[in-house]
């Protein structure tokens, strides 16, 4: 699994001109899934996300986690995170998991992060054409791949 985390002062997701998710102060998490991903990847990433110290403490230093900052999360599935651009100019998405594998993992990811955070998590819709808006706070953007833990 590969994720892109963006610290936001606000973010939203619109599908078919209808807003389906909206937060202030928190994290927008873009999630890419491959066939080899497992619950172990989910558990490791969810723990990393909620405990990652990317919010300012009382001295303005990034030293506070999402849990301690009382932030919120939007999770958006994004198969294009696994694009290969090695050959030609058209990205290949062959590494991205097909829906029959990706949807259960996506749903488990959402459930696991909700349990880790202790409150509901907002989401986009798997496979939908989404308009994602955000104000990146900082800017802070972090990329994490669960296959590169060491």
């Amino acid at each position: 699994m590969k994720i892109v985390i963006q610290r936001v002062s606000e973010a939203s997701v619109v599908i078919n001109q209808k807003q389906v998710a909206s937060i202030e102060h928190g994290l927008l998490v873009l999630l890419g899934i491959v066939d080899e991903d497992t619950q172990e990847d989910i558990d490791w990433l969810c723990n990393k996300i909620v405990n990652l110290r990317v919010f300012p403490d009382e001295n303005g230093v990034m030293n506070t986690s999402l849990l301690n900052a009382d932030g919120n999360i939007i999770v958006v599935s994004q198969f294009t995170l696994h694009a290969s651009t090695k050959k030609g100019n058209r990205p290949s998405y062959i590494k991205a998991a097909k829906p029959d594998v990706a949807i259960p993992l996506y749903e488990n990811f959402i459930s696991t992060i909700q349990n880790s955070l202790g409150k509901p998590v907002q989401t986009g819709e798997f496979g939908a054409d989404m308009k994602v808006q955000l104000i990146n706070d900082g800017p802070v953007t972090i990329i994490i791949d669960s296959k590169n833990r060491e």
Side-chain angles (χ1 to χ4, degrees):
M1 271 180 192
K2 189 180 290 186
I3 60 172
V4 174
I5 300 171
Q6 295 183 305
R7 186 179 77 187
V8 299
S9 56
E10 62 184 72
S12 64
V13 178
V14 173
I15 301 172
N16 295 325
Q17 301 176 339
K18 180 182 176 211
Q19 185 171 289
V20 297
S22 177
I23 64 168
E24 295 179 0
H25 177 66
L27 299 175
L28 172 66
V29 177
L30 305 175
L31 172 67
I33 300 169
V34 294
D35 287 335
E36 299 79 30
D37 290 330
T38 67
Q39 186 65 42
E40 183 179 334
D41 295 292
I42 292 169
D43 292 341
W44 184 82
L45 281 172
C46 289
N47 182 61
K48 183 65 78 174
I49 292 166
V50 299
N51 290 296
L52 199 62
R53 298 184 324 191
V54 294
F55 293 92
D57 63 14
E58 62 278 353
N59 297 315
V61 177
M62 284 199 308
N63 201 27
T64 303
S65 72
L66 184 69
L67 289 170
N68 295 327
D70 194 32
N72 294 297
I73 294 181
I74 295 179
V75 176
V76 174
S77 64
Q78 189 169 351
F79 73 95
T80 60
L81 290 179
H82 290 287
S84 174
T85 57
K86 290 181 181 179
K87 294 182 180 178
N89 292 317
R90 183 172 185 228
S92 169
Y93 305 107
I94 198 155
K95 290 184 180 180
K98 303 290 184 264
D100 60 321
V101 171
I103 291 172
L105 290 169
Y106 172 71
E107 291 171 350
N108 287 347
F109 184 92
I110 292 164
S111 176
T112 301
I113 198 124
Q114 282 185 159
N115 290 337
S116 298
L117 190 57
K119 61 182 173 180
V121 169
Q122 296 196 45
T123 67
E125 179 183 318
F126 188 93
D129 181 20
M130 296 174 270
K131 308 301 181 208
V132 179
Q133 293 184 312
L134 67 126
I135 297 178
N136 191 321
D137 183 17
V140 174
T141 302
I142 298 171
I143 301 169
I144 303 174
D145 189 329
S146 65
K147 303 303 188 222
N148 296 329
R149 294 183 210 179
E150 299 172 21

